[in-house]
Amino acid sequence: MFLPALPNSLSQTIQNFGFENITKIYLKYEERWWREDEYGFQLVWSRDSSILPGEATWCKEMTGFDIMPSNYGNVLLGWVGSESSKIIETISEDQIAADCTKVLRKFLNRNVPMPKEVFRTQWHSNPYVRGSYSFSSDRCDESCSKPSDLLQPVIAKCAELDLEIPIVMLAGEAAHDSHFSTTHGAYETGETQAARILQVLKQQQPQIWSKY
Ligand SMILES: Cc1cc2nc3c(=O)[nH]c(=O)nc-3n(C[C@H](O)[C@H](O)[C@H](O)COP(=O)(O)OP(=O)(O)OC[C@H]3O[C@@H](n4cnc5c(N)ncnc54)[C@H](O)[C@@H]3O)c2cc1C
């Protein structure tokens, strides 16, 4: 997407990282049908767990439901990973409600009601997001790429200033060596890059200010 292209080392590092999807499903009920002492329902599927007649295959990649605190209303939050997380971005909310209800009834053996509202995230389909989590893949291990390689600034000569300055600096959750895939990791990489920009500005200030 960059014109001119990023340096090969940087674009190769980006290619090496993985980026995959997870989908959250919010089920809102008329009333709380779970017990006060329950916090959620984690589903343990065996390899040969049968799919009930009419049950969608994506359900087997559903890992469980958390019970949201009561100030959110009567809401269960379901988690789906892997390829199924992409499938459920494309099916109707009514279908998701029916499928989740089948799964809950199957695992809990209770008369679980249908939710009155369903909302699911669609990060994979969102052109500005395209997924949920970046991760260090086998390709990173093979090529010895580490997250902080992404912090390497792209330096270019600014003809107007006759200076070499960083013109592209990446930051974000993929670029932190130890706190990758977290908000605080993303934040710290932003701080690291901001500190570098300040350093350049301090060093080059006289030349930069004399031009503007
Ligand atoms: C389901 C889920 C649960 C999570 N739970 C936790 C948790 O409990 N604790 C935790 O620490 N972390 C958690 N994370 C991870 C955390 O949310 C991310 O690591 C963090 O938000 C990443 O920040 P970022 O700035 O790197 O990227 P983002 O927050 O993704 O910011 C990138 C921004 O760039 C925008 N963008 C993309 N392309 C363009 C473009 N071409 N032009 C303009 N804008 C563009 C995007 O819309 C987005 O707003 C969770 C993530 C997910 C998906």
Side-chain angles (χ1 to χ4, degrees), residues 80-138:
V80 185
S82 210
E83 283 307 299
S84 295
S85 68
K86 296 171 194 165
I87 296 172
I88 56 169
E89 288 195 7
T90 63
I91 62 179
S92 73
E93 290 172 348
D94 286 347
Q95 187 62 50
I96 292 173
D99 289 343
C100 287
T101 306
K102 273 188 203 140
V103 171
L104 284 163
R105 287 179 184 164
K106 169 177 170 168
F107 274 86
L108 301 178
N109 204 16
R110 291 184 214 171
N111 190 19
V112 174
M114 286 284 282
K116 66 171 182 176
E117 252 177 82
V118 175
F119 172 81
R120 63 26 234 275
T121 56
Q122 289 177 297
W123 287 310
H124 182 256
S125 330
N126 183 328
Y128 297 111
V129 186
R130 288 284 183 229
S132 313
Y133 289 102
S134 55
F135 60 94
S136 189
S137 69
D138 292 348

Side-chain angles (χ1 to χ4, degrees), residues 17 22 27 68 75 93 143 156 190:
F17 275 85
I22 203 160
L27 304 173
M68 298 290 283
V75 178
E93 290 172 348
S143 60

Side-chain angles (χ1 to χ4, degrees), residues 1 22 24 79 123 126-129 131-133 171-174 180-187:
M1 292 174 70
I22 203 160
K24 291 164 88 167
W79 294 84
W123 287 310
N126 183 328
Y128 297 111
V129 186
S132 313
Y133 289 102
E173 66 151 36
F180 42 82
S181 308
T182 67
T183 308
H184 51 289
Y187 180 81

Side-chain angles (χ1 to χ4, degrees), residues 11-18 135-140 143 145:
S11 54
Q12 194 55 55
T13 306
I14 294 170
Q15 290 297 334
N16 288 342
F17 275 85
F135 60 94
S136 189
S137 69
D138 292 348
R139 287 192 303 274
C140 296
S143 60
S145 309

